[in-house]
Amino acid sequence: MAPDESRARRRRRVGAASIAVAALAGTFVAANAASATTANPATVTFGGMQPAWASASADRGQVAPGTAVTSTIYLAGKDQAGMEAYAEAVSTPGNALYHKFLSTSQFQARFGTTAAQISAVEKWLRSAGLKVVSADSHQIQVSGTAAQTEAVYGLTLHNYSVKGHTYRAPASSAHLPSGVAADVLSVGSLSTMPVVMAPAGLVSTNSVTEKLTGAKPTAGASHDGAVYEGSPICSAYYGQIMDTTAPTQGGKENPYAICGYTPQQFRSAYGVTGVTGKGVTIAIVDAYGSSDILSDADTYAKYMGDPAFKPGQFLDTETPADFYDYADCGGPANWSPEEHIDVEAVHAMAPQATVHYYGGNSCQNPDLLVPLQQIVDTHSADIVSDSWGSVVFSSTGNLTAADKDSYDQVLKQAAIEGIEFNFSTGDCGAEDPSTTSCGVNDTSTVPQADWPDSDPWATAVGGTSTAIGKHGNVEWSTPWGTDVYLPPAASGQDWSFWEWAFGGGGGTSAIFAQPWYQRGTVSRTLATTLPDGSRTSSRMRTVPDVSMDADPFTGFQVGMTMTLGDGSTGVGIQPYGGTSLASPLFAGLQADVMQLQHGQPVGFANPSLYARYGSPVFSDVTGNSPGAKAYNDIPSADATSTDYSIGFGDDLLLKATRGYDDATGVGVPNPLYLWSHLIW
């Protein structure tokens, strides 16, 4: 089958999907209209609390009155409208308040939750017999019986049978007394099915090889003395070694895929010379933590010829004794590669920046929210990189109002304090469950943009495939989307398509309205067209905002402690990629920007990024670059033949066009981007 024919077949989808996503989006938006007054004027409705799986057919009856229930009240602060207005003003170039950031104490005094608000909400909760477990300026956690919980929130809790398991969830919206409703942002934690985050884009070339051939990566000493676990033949820079043994593809011989770029190659490609991120603190937030992350990063830096972390340059905030939920999250071992690529990619782009690692106690949304709240409450970082996310419409429960609103609140506080938050857009394109295995694995029910990257107050970092040449120059960039092809079975036959492996996330959100900074940049057609093709009546948020290299086949050499090919344990190097690479690369680049600005914070980056859109500082990425017609080969384990080839630039439902697009955003920062921020 010809590549074009196979590509066309796998893109066919059922037209009913567009109707379904439109209905889901409308339901979500309506349910999140918190503060809508009910028929009883003494109460206010808080919706968006019922997961999709809590259906009538799955209902197994009301929860027993004496069942122990823990819930969380997220607090609204004292001036929601004023907070959002200030966050927009302080972030927008040309505004009189631009970059007039507030300190944490100033934020608390002007917009934070007051002691009187906390006291009033606690008094109301206690009056219903609930026990206050913990309280701070963001949230109050309480416990009590099911009967007490139902009474205080004005709802009922039911048990639901889902795939052989029983979970509890609200059967209706909450109805809170009008006297405390203004102090409450949302009500959460009433559902017992875990809603978890996953590493947003961490993938390796070795995983594709093993899936296709069953062969483990081979081991050999690389030029720098490190143990390299990967293809027996690979290029040190794009196009270095040509495969002269395999049949031609696209009318020409293919180069072998790269071994993974080094820190020096990335710094050269993005123009990072003479700057190191000195004086800037970058926070990295993931689930759990690795005891060897610092020692591995130092060993890796030594292999790569870079400086190791100096004493006090790497900080670690985590509580391993409190880690839990390994069954849903995979535990520390599952998140370890994510943590290593985050730390090492940041250090590669900004080798003198301080890196502060934060580990959540699990990958559940509330546990990853805690370190984000710590960062804004203490202003412990200037820039934050978050390489994880989830789908909005999920077979395990749609995004709740509590999760959406609580994250949104923290991101607005960060903007006011001058803290930049970057989120990866994911590694499954538009999360299409009908044509991609990763969409099914991610529990997606419709093509969609991921979250939290699609929050209007987050900087969404998408992915490209990037060819870095012999002299450290970018030869081409194309949207990240990887097609895998098998060699001809017989002479005269063509290469055959095997599967679409992965690609950068993006698309138009079904739940977030278009933010002010995208007006005039994102076309009306794109802003009103959801990834499945359905249309919205108003313009919506579109991601990504900006893109960096993410393709594992043009990815990054990552060092970590592992079981090596000979059975021993040591620090090995493997090629990794994903938007989990793109986000920390961009965070490191932004640290270099801060250094050139003599420490002036970037703050919420999006308004500045869009203000520079169309200028020479961004390289526009389209589907017509040389990379869209390029293929790379991967040899067999014994290097006697070619196992498969990969094609670039196919991100399925997401299309790279001239100008802003939902595959790469405003484009890729080129060397002019960094140096355009120089303040003399």
Side-chain angles (χ1 to χ4, degrees), residues 423-425 429-430 448-462 504-532 534-536 538-547 604 606-607 609-610 613 651 653-657 659-667:
F423 282 88
S424 298
T425 61
Q448 59 187 293
D450 283 346
W451 174 84
D453 63 277
S454 58
D455 188 292
W457 295 96
T459 296
V461 186
T508 298
S509 169
I511 64 170
F512 292 109
Q514 184 181 74
W516 79 98
Y517 51 80
Q518 288 195 320
R519 296 170 193 157
T521 299
V522 182
S523 70
R524 178 173 180 82
T525 298
L526 183 56
T528 57
T529 305
L530 300 182
D532 75 326
S534 61
R535 300 298 295 271
T536 61
S538 58
R539 301 184 190 219
M540 306 298 284
R541 163 81 158 128
T542 310
V543 292
D545 297 307
V546 69
S547 291
F604 179 42
N606 288 4
L609 293 177
Y610 284 85
Y613 166 73
D651 207 7
L653 299 177
L654 307 177
K655 307 297 182 184
T657 61
Y660 179 91
D661 56 65
D662 59 4
T664 60
V666 299

Side-chain angles (χ1 to χ4, degrees), residues 159-415:
N159 289 316
Y160 296 89
S161 178
V162 183
K163 296 181 179 179
H165 298 278
T166 299
Y167 301 101
R168 183 191 71 224
S172 61
S173 298
H175 303 287
L176 274 56
S178 56
V180 297
D183 301 327
V184 176
L185 187 68
S186 55
V187 180
S189 306
L190 289 173
S191 170
T192 55
M193 180 185 285
V195 178
V196 300
M197 300 286 195
L202 179 64
V203 286
S204 72
T205 59
N206 292 338
S207 65
V208 177
T209 300
E210 188 171 350
K211 180 179 179 181
L212 176 62
T213 68
K216 296 286 186 180
T218 56
S222 66
H223 68 279
D224 50 29
V227 177
Y228 180 82
E229 301 255 325
S231 296
I233 304 175
C234 55
S235 298
Y237 56 85
Y238 188 83
Q240 179 200 24
I241 305 176
M242 301 300 295
D243 182 2
T244 60
T245 63
T248 60
Q249 191 173 11
K252 57 185 179 181
E253 293 178 340
N254 298 334
Y256 285 110
I258 66 159
C259 311
Y261 294 129
T262 65
Q264 293 88 343
Q265 287 173 300
F266 275 132
R267 290 196 293 269
S268 176
Y270 294 111
V272 181
T273 56
V275 285
T276 60
K278 186 176 182 179
V280 181
T281 298
I282 304 171
I284 293 168
V285 179
D286 285 315
Y288 309 121
S290 301
S291 60
D292 54 14
I293 193 167
L294 176 58
S295 60
D296 283 357
D298 285 343
T299 302
Y300 171 81
K302 175 184 175 182
Y303 284 154
M304 294 292 140
D306 274 356
F309 282 98
K310 295 179 180 179
Q313 191 186 350
F314 181 85
L315 307 173
D316 193 353
T317 298
E318 56 179 286
T319 55
D322 296 327
F323 292 168
Y324 75 106
D325 199 6
Y326 291 8
D328 294 304
C329 302
N334 185 59
W335 281 77
S336 179
E338 176 66 66
E339 295 150 8
H340 282 75
I341 194 173
D342 289 346
V343 171
E344 291 168 11
V346 160
H347 192 56
M349 294 295 282
Q352 287 191 304
T354 296
V355 175
H356 193 156
Y357 177 81
Y358 287 84
N361 289 337
S362 82
C363 68
Q364 293 190 34
N365 290 345
D367 289 314
L368 287 168
L369 177 65
V370 169
L372 305 187
Q373 293 171 336
Q374 291 176 332
I375 291 167
V376 298
D377 284 345
T378 61
H379 204 135
S380 58
D382 304 294
I383 300 166
V384 186
S385 181
D386 304 280
S387 292
W388 38 266
S390 66
V391 294
V392 173
F393 304 112
S394 169
S395 59
T396 59
N398 296 342
L399 175 68
T400 67
D403 288 328
K404 169 184 167 292
D405 294 344
S406 57
Y407 274 72
D408 194 66
Q409 186 91 333
V410 168
L411 295 177
K412 290 173 188 175
Q413 181 176 343

